[in-house]
Amino acid sequence: MDIPDPNLVARNVIHLLGGRQEANKKIEREHAAIDKAWAQNAEIIGRILRGHLFVEHYLTKFLERENPQLKNLARVRLNFSQKIELVNTGSPVIDDLMPGIRHLNKVRNRVAHTLHGDVTQNDAQIFLGCGLFRAMRVESATATEKELSNEPIEILEDFSRYAGGAFQSVHSELSAAFGRAIEMAREQSPQ
């Protein structure tokens, strides 16, 4: 369906809104609401989306490696939640991360539904509740003498990088070291 004469349509809109002055007031109010919705912290939103996309990228690669019969998941068009439901590794490292990965998706969905990008202390606590992530984050900072940030957005980013890396390295030497380290810790722990 094509639009007839755009000038005539514009004049009709002005008329239907009560004339020029009344139309301008209504248009300004609507634009103010749109401008308010647009004026979000694009840096924070971008950081949240980058973390989510990063994890999804490596989650998809992981699922394709674990399930060669699926071949190309892009053609199936699964959403993030559906991909999470397909994860069944028996890997303690991945299992430990799943609550945080699910929560990362909730944070991303919160942005999508509100257009407001924020990461709260409660969000950060959920990510830090993934024990191996929390412990490796501390150990890594100690080894590099880097000061750990308590900023929730930085914790989200650290978590995303760690989770993406965990999906990437499930079949690597690093993964084998984690598996052996978990076995050793079980042997070393008093029963």
Side-chain angles (χ1 to χ4, degrees):
M1 176 157 126
D2 56 326
I3 296 177
D5 180 0
N7 295 320
L8 183 56
V9 171
R11 285 193 298 274
N12 288 339
V13 167
I14 300 298
H15 170 72
L16 291 169
L17 291 176
R20 280 197 196 289
Q21 282 186 321
E22 203 50 41
N24 281 340
K25 287 178 193 173
K26 291 174 182 175
I27 290 169
E28 284 177 19
R29 273 196 308 269
E30 199 161 306
H31 280 225
I34 289 169
D35 287 346
K36 183 178 178 184
W38 180 260
Q40 299 300 320
N41 187 330
E43 179 188 347
I44 296 293
I45 291 172
R47 291 169 76 179
I48 293 167
L49 294 178
R50 177 179 62 183
H52 187 274
L53 291 170
F54 184 83
V55 170
E56 186 168 16
H57 173 80
Y58 285 106
L59 168 59
T60 301
K61 286 180 169 293
F62 166 80
L63 290 171
E64 290 172 344
R65 278 193 319 267
E66 289 289 307
N67 305 285
Q69 71 279 11
L70 293 179
K71 297 192 176 37
N72 186 347
L73 275 179
R75 276 190 257 136
V76 181
R77 297 180 164 266
L78 298 175
N79 65 37
F80 193 84
S81 292
Q82 291 167 322
K83 290 176 184 177
I84 289 172
E85 293 305 315
L86 292 175
V87 174
N88 184 13
T89 66
S91 162
V93 175
I94 298 297
D95 292 346
D96 184 63
L97 293 172
M98 293 310 291
I101 291 168
R102 284 186 181 89
H103 193 71
L104 177 63
N105 197 43
K106 288 179 184 175
V107 172
R108 203 263 341 149
N109 286 341
R110 195 168 62 216
V111 171
H113 295 293
T114 65
L115 295 179
H116 182 70
D118 66 337
V119 183
T120 67
Q121 285 295 333
N122 288 337
D123 296 325
Q125 290 309 307
I126 291 171
F127 299 128
L128 292 171
C130 300
L132 287 174
F133 160 67
R134 184 183 62 250
M136 289 302 292
R137 183 173 183 261
V138 169
E139 287 299 320
S140 177
T142 302
T144 59
E145 297 180 8
K146 174 185 153 192
E147 189 171 325
L148 279 178
S149 170
N150 289 320
E151 287 297 314
I153 186 63
E154 292 190 25
I155 293 169
L156 178 144
E157 287 179 316
D158 289 348
F159 177 82
S160 297
R161 290 180 68 189
Y162 182 81
F167 280 125
Q168 177 61 23
S169 66
V170 164
H171 299 292
S172 71
E173 183 179 348
L174 178 60
S175 178
F178 265 106
R180 183 64 187 122
I182 290 168
E183 288 174 25
M184 290 169 62
R186 284 185 182 135
E187 293 167 2
Q188 296 163 345
S189 295
Q191 301 277 341

